[in-house]
Amino acid sequence: MSNPLKSQQIDRQMAQQTTATARNLAALAESDPAVYSALLGEEQRERDGIELIPSENYTFPEVLTVLGSVFTNKYSEGYPGRRYYGGQTFTDEIENLARDRAKAVFNCEHANVQPLSGSAMNQAVYLGLLTPGDTIMAMDLSHGGHLTHGAPVSHMGDLFNFVRYVTDPVDGSIDFDRVRADAHRTKPKMMLCGYTSYPRDIDYAAFKAIADEVGAITMTDASHFGGLVAGKAMANPFDFGFDLVTTTTHKSLRGPRGGMILCRKPFAKKIDKSVFPGLQGGPHMNAVAGIAVTLQKAQTAEFQRYAADVLSNAQVLAKEFKQAGVSLVTGGTDNHMLVLNTMASFGIDGRVAEEALDQVQITTNKQIIPDDPNPPLRPSGIRIGTPAATARGMGSQEMVQLADWMLRCLRAPEDSAVLETVRAEVEALCQRFPVPGI
Ligand code: DSN
């Protein structure tokens, strides 16, 4: 039964908050017009264009609210019930909610929701469970692995001995006979799968079998597809006996920027100690509140529909591009992402392609392809994905239209008449699909 006194109090506080939000915005406009105007500009950019960068999304409106809330004021070093600062009644409440919901959503035994970002989260795992110099097997950067998966330019690449596996140049498959032979030869302490630019699913059973043969810890960096696992559209590595899953919270999951480390019980203490005090100080409690909100939404049937739609939209794009003869890295997609070889398909590098699409307000990112002969700032392709467009409610009809617009631009990247026409059509479509939270 609802408590009338409490609900009256909530109504009063809500009215105060609405007034405060309007007052704060007006104060920003007056005291810092430069930042205010950039804020309006970014809102307009997001409203009028189509976001196709596969790692970006529109967070839930409720997440925007808690991110801009008083939780940003609070220091909460430590963990619920064991903090180094007073005044933790409500921060403990939200961190417990976020942890419990993470465990329920991902069906795991322990969750740490404090990592400030994806890089910090992966570093906390390596530094917490391994010793510098230990061997880790992970996917090569140009084949889709992340910087923190041991790219030579990263600090992790210096600290640990990364042995990299690659993918088949035609279908993107992983040669598990070779992975097995390399694992037996190099004796990794950890076997890592997961990616930042790989349009295929992962054979967790094959990885786990090899890891068990050599006694390696199994970890998946699910940053890109954490929301698709949560929404039950893609497989959950814990169902295959994996030890750890890391995921950022702002990509397909649609939460605030941040990271989570999910693991089996035996790793819990080391992971928590590694995040705090090992690597970080105070967690960003406004982001932790946002993660709690996100994970409640991730348990709904609506979110499961969203996750399924992200995948089916990617399939439509793949079909359209293939029909038009575009060269897709791995030949297609099993997830939310496609990598287009623009050099092979249109004779233009990824930078030219990205810039042409920017002009029509379709946002993509230039992307190296496996064993790319070109440098990272002028790579051979672009990477696109469907999480953000799907969050606006766009479906298969819009994906067909989108592929057509992209083809027109990529075939004539310097034809201003084509670009102007497409830009106007993109803007008109966007009016019909409001951005959540704006
Ligand atoms: N920056 C992320 C991405 O775009 O995939 C990974 O860190």
Side-chain angles (χ1 to χ4, degrees), residues 293-312:
V293 169
T294 302
L295 291 170
Q296 195 232 32
K297 291 196 175 279
Q299 295 175 58
T300 61
E302 194 184 344
F303 192 80
Q304 288 186 15
R305 271 195 303 277
Y306 163 72
D309 289 348
V310 166
L311 293 193
S312 60

Side-chain angles (χ1 to χ4, degrees), residues 53-56 119 146 195-197 223-224 248 251 365 383:
I53 294 174
S55 48
E56 293 188 16
S119 291
H146 186 245
Y195 48 77
T196 193
S197 182
S223 290
H224 262 263
T248 47
K251 297 188 175 86
N365 75 274
R383 189 181 63 146

Side-chain angles (χ1 to χ4, degrees), residues 112-241:
N112 187 306
V113 295
Q114 293 195 2
L116 303 180
S117 75
S119 291
M121 126 201 127
N122 285 345
Q123 289 167 20
V125 173
Y126 306 152
L127 295 167
L129 303 184
L130 306 174
T131 307
D134 278 353
T135 296
I136 305 174
M137 277 191 95
M139 191 186 263
D140 184 82
L141 180 75
S142 89
H143 287 247
H146 186 245
L147 279 172
T148 54
H149 300 176
V153 290
S154 74
H155 289 312
M156 294 301 107
D158 284 339
L159 271 182
F160 295 95
N161 172 38
F162 278 88
V163 172
R164 299 181 185 90
Y165 51 85
V166 294
T167 58
D168 181 272
V170 178
D171 63 9
S173 60
I174 292 167
D175 179 350
F176 282 101
D177 290 337
R178 194 164 150 195
V179 173
R180 173 173 281 107
D182 285 348
H184 281 269
R185 185 174 49 78
T186 61
K187 305 268 180 296
K189 291 273 169 51
M190 175 176 282
M191 288 190 61
L192 165 57
C193 49
Y195 48 77
T196 193
S197 182
Y198 179 65
R200 294 295 176 186
D201 203 357
I202 295 170
D203 187 343
Y204 296 110
F207 269 105
K208 172 76 175 137
I210 297 171
D212 285 350
E213 287 168 25
V214 299
I217 296 168
T218 39
M219 166 177 170
T220 300
D221 178 350
S223 290
H224 262 263
F225 49 94
L228 306 174
V229 173
K232 304 199 188 311
M234 290 188 79
N236 183 341
F238 287 119
D239 292 344
F240 296 83

